[in-house]
């Protein structure tokens, strides 16, 4: 079976990025000139995803407006003959079929995924966390879809992180199962470095099978009151195979201040219109202020 659908949980409060996220969704923070969630959506579209469900919450209306037609803006751009800008604005509204549902309570990532149950309609699906950008030659999720098409099982996007960072991620244990591939034997949410089974961390890309919903239903709240996707994947291990794939690419956690700055600087350095003057500026300013 092919992966056609993707879920983007975007209901999180963005507490790591206050005060910017007090009244604006963290997924709408611009990296150079595009909101973070548009990079995520572009990855989905480039991978061949046909339908996207964004899980939103209160205060996230800007996301819906961004992927909608902007009638007034289009009219003004048309009148002023700004064809290039008009095309940019129009293309965003026609990228892919987008649906929305609201997570009414902030009960964690697992609970957000549960909101997609009916929409997924029994198909396996991709999950993109709305604040992780991955820059890669082949879209990260496409690499994982290729694994899914061979294994017909859950695939987690992973990368190795410094030991001291295990407390920020779901951490997997597993054995080699092919190039870049691990057969997962255990997964733990945010372990302390001394308790972590490895330093291989799950980032914001997943391919999940419909069995995850039954496991999520059985998953209780953790100490912080949240239903963790990681814990549901852990119980899934008793009935289905789960793989972890070391994707080729560079991942940015834009919900973190340093990650956001790295995404901004490195994205600017890949843009033909900015690369040269920006690189020259960086070299000079680091000499002066760094
Ligand atoms: C979530 C997941 C975690 C995963 C991480 C990736 O945590 O719970 O397992 O490793 O995303 O970014 P959060 O970053 O929402 O705290």
């Amino acid at each position: 079976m092919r992966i056609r659908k993707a879920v983007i949980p975007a209901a999180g409060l963005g507490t790591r990025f206050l005060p910017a996220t007090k009244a604006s969704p963290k997924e709408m923070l611009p990296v150079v000139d595009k909101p973070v969630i548009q990079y995520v959506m572009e990855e989905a579209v480039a991978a061949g995803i046909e339908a996207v469900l964004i899980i939103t919450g209160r205060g996230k209306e800007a996301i819906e407006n961004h992927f909608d037609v902007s009638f007034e803006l289009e009219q003004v751009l048309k009148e002023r003959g700004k064809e290039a800008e008009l095309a940019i604005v129009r293309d965003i509204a026609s990228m892919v079929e987008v649906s929305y549902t609201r997570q009414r309570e902030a009960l964690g990532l697992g609970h957000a995924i549960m909101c997609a149950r009916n929409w997924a309609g029994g198909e396996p699906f991709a999950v993109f966390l709305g604040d992780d950008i991955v820059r890669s030659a082949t879209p990260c999720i496409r690499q994982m879809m290729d694994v899914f098409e061979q294994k017909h099982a859950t695939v987690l996007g992973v990368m190795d992180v410094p030991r001291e960072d295990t407390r920020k991620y779901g951490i997997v244990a597993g054995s080699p199962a092919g190039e870049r591939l691990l057969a997962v034997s255990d997964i733990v949410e945010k372990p302390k470095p001394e308790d972590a089974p490895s330093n291989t961390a799950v980032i914001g890309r997943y391919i999940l099978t419909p069995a995850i919903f039954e496991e999520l239903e059985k998953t209780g709240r953790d100490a912080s009151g949240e239903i963790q996707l990681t814990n549901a994947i852990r119980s899934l291990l008793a009935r289905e195979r789960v793989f972890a794939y070391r994707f080729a690419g560079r991942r940015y956690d834009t919900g973190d201040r340093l990650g956001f700055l790295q995404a901004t600087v490195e994205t600017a350095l890949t843009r033909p219109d900015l690369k040269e003057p920006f690189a020259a500026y960086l070299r000079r300013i680091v000499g002066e202020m760094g």
Side-chain angles (χ1 to χ4, degrees):
M1 192 173 210
R2 224 161 47 82
I3 304 292
R4 302 185 311 121
K5 297 180 174 182
V7 176
I8 307 182
L13 295 174
T15 50
R16 290 183 296 157
F17 220 116
L18 285 166
T21 47
K22 185 183 172 199
S24 310
K26 60 178 173 162
E27 296 80 9
M28 289 300 293
L29 292 172
V31 169
V32 184
D33 54 6
K34 262 192 254 178
V36 170
I37 195 166
Q38 190 177 334
Y39 290 90
V40 173
M41 197 72 106
E42 285 173 354
E43 181 187 330
V45 173
I49 294 291
E50 295 165 13
V52 174
L53 176 70
I54 304 183
I55 316 282
T56 66
R58 279 180 292 281
K60 298 279 186 166
E61 295 78 9
I63 297 176
E64 295 180 38
N65 293 339
H66 187 70
F67 292 107
D68 195 0
V69 167
S70 178
F71 184 77
E72 219 177 350
L73 180 60
E74 288 187 19
Q75 195 63 29
V76 170
L77 293 172
K78 218 183 294 172
E79 280 165 19
R80 296 188 186 162
K82 294 198 176 275
E83 295 299 328
E85 289 80 357
L86 183 61
I88 290 172
V89 167
R90 276 202 176 143
D91 287 353
I92 300 167
S94 56
M95 280 173 83
V96 68
E97 179 194 313
V98 193
S99 313
Y100 299 89
T101 192
R102 270 198 183 197
Q103 184 183 13
R104 285 183 292 272
E105 293 169 279
L107 292 180
L109 179 58
H111 179 258
I113 299 294
M114 264 211 283
C115 300
R117 188 175 198 164
N118 285 328
W119 181 85
E123 287 186 32
F125 58 99
V127 173
F128 294 76
L129 299 192
D131 47 11
D132 267 9
I133 294 179
V134 183
R135 190 161 53 75
S136 54
T138 303
C140 176
I141 207 76
R142 181 67 253 172
Q143 300 173 37
M144 294 166 60
M145 284 156 79
D146 291 344
V147 175
F148 176 84
E149 282 165 21
Q150 286 174 16
K151 304 287 184 191
H152 305 282
T154 298
V155 185
L156 314 173
V158 296
M159 66 180 209
D160 290 338
V161 297
R163 264 273 160 185
E164 62 270 23
D165 284 349
T166 58
R167 59 175 90 244
K168 298 185 193 162
Y169 299 97
I171 300 291
V172 298
S175 49
E179 217 198 320
R180 296 182 171 273
L181 202 61
L182 290 173
V184 174
S185 53
D186 199 6
I187 179 166
V188 193
E189 180 68 0
K190 302 189 176 134
K192 291 186 202 139
E194 58 271 30
D195 300 333
S198 77
N199 64 333
T200 305
V202 178
I203 60 113
R205 298 292 182 274
Y206 305 75
I207 293 191
L208 300 175
T209 62
I212 197 66
F213 293 115
E214 289 155 35
E215 300 309 321
L216 280 167
E217 217 165 55
K218 289 186 266 175
T219 304
R221 297 189 192 186
D222 68 0
S224 64
E226 295 193 347
I227 298 175
Q228 296 298 345
L229 177 60
T230 298
N231 292 342
I233 295 172
R234 189 170 208 222
S235 53
L236 184 70
L237 281 167
R239 57 188 277 208
E240 283 188 1
R241 292 185 306 166
V242 173
F243 292 91
Y245 183 73
R246 286 198 169 87
F247 61 94
R250 189 147 161 72
R251 171 254 187 188
Y252 306 98
D253 175 8
T254 65
D256 168 76
R257 290 177 175 87
L258 185 60
F260 179 82
L261 290 169
Q262 289 165 342
T264 301
V265 170
E266 294 180 31
T267 303
L269 289 172
T270 64
R271 287 268 300 253
D273 54 334
L274 291 168
K275 187 177 168 36
E276 254 179 54
F278 189 54
Y281 161 77
L282 284 179
R283 276 191 287 267
R284 182 166 48 80
I285 204 71
V286 169
E288 281 174 29
M289 297 179 76

